[in-house]
Amino acid sequence: MVARGRVVTDSLGKARRLGKRLERGGEGEIFALLDRPDVIVKWYYPDVLNKRGEELHRKVEAMRGLHDAHMTRDVCWPLIRVFDEHHRWIGFAMYRARGVKMGFLAHALLYQRYFPGLDRQQIVGYLIRFVEIVQQLHEAGVCIGDYNLNNIFCMPGSDQVTLIDCDSYQLRMGGTFYPCPVGSPDMTPKEHQGVAFRHTLRNPRSEAFSLAIVLFKCLMLGRHPYDIVGGDDPVRNLRRGKFAYGRGQRDVPQGVWYELWGVLPETIRDMFVTTFTAGAGVPSRRATLAQWHTALSDYREAMKAGECAVQLSMPSRPRRRKAVHAR
């Protein structure tokens, strides 16, 4: 394990002392810099470097080549190469994300603690910004691949969104393809199920499916779109296109999910239904990022005009309501 206080050097040989360890991940550790609180260092584990060090180094260098032209502070992109005391490459430095994990936003209870005063308009503001950042990545030929709500940070009281753990993203540079080797089955479209992530070629249509799950979970305070009463686990329901909210809501879980679904604009409900039923097996039927951006922007304007409810309220006890049918 890398100890706090170790000195690393940048590509110019300038020494930098590490501060406290902020997090341990699957491939490495994240440290603060003592003299730059806005910058952090990812130091890959020794066994990861032994097995994949050259591959990781090439990919990080390819990502650094994209930074100036395409990336902003909204994406914690590799900026500077970092070396150990023996001048061996061990990782990279990047800007530090600010805010709270979107996983806390998409939670029926935790959002009250981490996002005080949260309402529907603020949730939609985060989602619009998230869609814009993903569009920016796609324009640069980059796919996120591993959609994880804990890798998306939201700043309470603003629409600021920042993406982290970006070195896993899929990209192609100089004729070389760099896959996203990780992912979560419950966030992965049907056509990529059962395929090793390191052999998976993501594209805007597959990304649109995963993004729609993020949108649904945030608007529905953590509920997965394929979590249904009397069904299998979400991954099996996903593979079969079993989306309860598109079938008269007979299999919607007990509780507040009727209310949360019912207040969404009909356009957004229809886009979810199409994406998660017909679109589960036919990528061309899925709503695109541009369509989501338009629909969410219209929703925000409708809330500003008082045409849609803004208040985010959760009844104290579960109760059933008449189903809201979406086309």
Side-chain angles (χ1 to χ4, degrees):
M1 182 180 72
V2 180
R4 175 181 178 178
R6 290 283 294 273
V7 175
V8 297
T9 60
D10 60 24
S11 55
L12 298 178
K14 185 174 182 179
R16 300 283 190 177
R17 187 170 296 276
L18 297 179
K20 67 177 181 178
R21 184 178 67 193
L22 302 176
E23 190 170 344
R24 297 193 67 187
E27 292 187 320
E29 298 176 297
I30 304 296
F31 291 87
L33 281 183
L34 282 179
D35 59 344
R36 285 290 302 273
D38 61 326
V39 176
I40 57 178
V41 169
K42 180 165 186 176
W43 188 322
Y44 290 104
Y45 298 128
D47 60 329
V48 172
L49 289 170
N50 289 335
K51 294 178 182 177
R52 301 176 49 234
E54 292 185 7
E55 173 189 345
L56 287 169
H57 193 181
R58 288 194 300 270
K59 183 176 183 180
V60 168
E61 285 303 290
M63 298 183 77
R64 288 180 62 242
L66 279 175
H67 175 263
D68 291 340
H70 300 283
M71 301 305 154
T72 69
R73 291 288 289 268
D74 299 321
V75 184
C76 292
W77 206 250
L79 294 176
I80 301 172
R81 290 173 289 175
V82 175
F83 303 84
D84 65 11
E85 65 272 23
H86 302 293
H87 306 291
R88 295 174 299 200
W89 182 84
I90 49 88
F92 58 90
M94 56 189 161
Y95 286 119
R96 185 175 184 176
R98 300 173 60 232
V100 179
K101 294 177 181 179
M102 186 178 275
F104 294 158
L105 170 76
H107 193 286
L109 297 176
L110 292 180
Y111 81 90
Q112 300 177 49
R113 179 191 307 173
Y114 292 98
F115 293 89
L118 184 74
D119 60 22
R120 300 180 194 279
Q121 188 169 313
Q122 187 171 357
I123 292 176
V124 171
Y126 289 135
L127 297 181
I128 291 172
R129 185 65 195 126
F130 174 59
V131 172
E132 291 172 347
I133 296 172
V134 179
Q135 288 177 308
Q136 168 190 313
L137 290 170
H138 286 182
E139 290 172 0
V142 177
C143 287
I144 291 178
D146 180 21
Y147 279 76
N148 184 334
L149 272 69
N150 290 327
N151 290 339
I152 308 168
F153 278 60
C154 303
M155 178 61 68
S158 75
D159 288 348
Q160 181 180 336
V161 173
T162 308
L163 308 189
I164 68 168
D165 204 17
C166 303
D167 55 317
S168 67
Y169 288 3
Q170 172 189 292
L171 69 152
R172 189 184 299 274
M173 280 287 290
T176 302
F177 174 69
Y178 300 96
C180 172
V182 292
S184 301
D186 67 329
M187 304 291 287
T188 300
K190 179 180 178 180
E191 65 269 21
H192 293 162
Q193 293 283 337
V195 180
F197 289 118
R198 65 181 180 276
H199 296 147
T200 299
L201 177 60
R202 272 80 169 202
N203 57 68
R205 288 293 186 182
S206 62
E207 293 268 291
F209 186 86
S210 300
L211 178 138
I213 295 179
V214 172
L215 303 184
F216 188 91
K217 293 185 76 171
C218 289
L219 292 170
M220 297 291 288
L221 294 182
R223 179 63 63 181
H224 193 282
Y226 290 105
D227 185 8
I228 68 176
V229 172
D232 289 315
D233 64 86
V235 176
R236 291 183 180 178
N237 293 331
L238 183 159
R239 291 176 177 177
R240 298 168 184 169
K242 289 187 175 181
F243 177 61
Y245 300 82
R247 299 197 311 276
Q249 295 190 202
R250 293 186 300 274
D251 299 324
V252 174
Q254 292 273 347
V256 301
W257 319 113
Y258 297 93
E259 285 84 355
L260 291 172
W261 176 256
V263 298
L264 292 176
E266 184 177 8
T267 299
I268 289 181
R269 293 203 307 266
D270 286 348
M271 290 167 66
F272 278 133
V273 170
T274 300
T275 296
F276 293 137
T277 54
V282 183
S284 63
R285 297 291 302 275
R286 298 166 187 167
T288 65
L289 269 64
Q291 290 171 327
W292 280 119
H293 189 274
T294 297
L296 291 168
S297 298
D298 290 345
Y299 184 18
R300 181 166 62 179
E301 292 305 312
M303 285 188 283
K304 290 180 179 179
E307 299 169 1
C308 291
V310 175
Q311 183 66 30
L312 184 64
S313 59
M314 297 282 285
S316 58
R317 290 185 298 178
R319 56 189 176 126
R320 296 188 67 90
R321 288 191 58 180
K322 184 178 179 180
V324 177
H325 297 269
R327 294 179 299 195

